[in-house]
Amino acid sequence: VVHFVLFSVMAWLAYLAFRDVAALRFPVLAACGFALAYGLILEGLQFYIPERFPSFADALADGFGALAAGLVSDQVERRIMSSLST
């Protein structure tokens, strides 16, 4: 649960940062990819830290959290933009 929440917040913040970058056509994918890559790197690095071990379940929770935040952020943004245009 902690991994899901933390990575959903990180993906949401990344989405807020990436949505105004003109070169990015799909900021949701960039935000989710960034959060997922960060989570996978952190899990992999735990292999080299004494008394820590990488966990597939943690990496999966990271990915689901990032994906959930990305999808919610995109839908909220679309609804806000559609309500402003009408």
Side-chain angles (χ1 to χ4, degrees), residues 46-64:
Q46 287 185 25
F47 181 75
Y48 301 103
I49 299 171
E51 299 180 18
R52 301 286 303 199
F53 57 93
S55 169
F56 179 73
D58 287 350
L60 200 59
D62 298 345
F64 280 128

Side-chain angles (χ1 to χ4, degrees), residues 9-20:
V9 170
M10 182 172 44
W12 174 67
L13 292 172
Y15 174 75
L16 293 177
F18 292 152
R19 71 179 177 183
D20 295 329

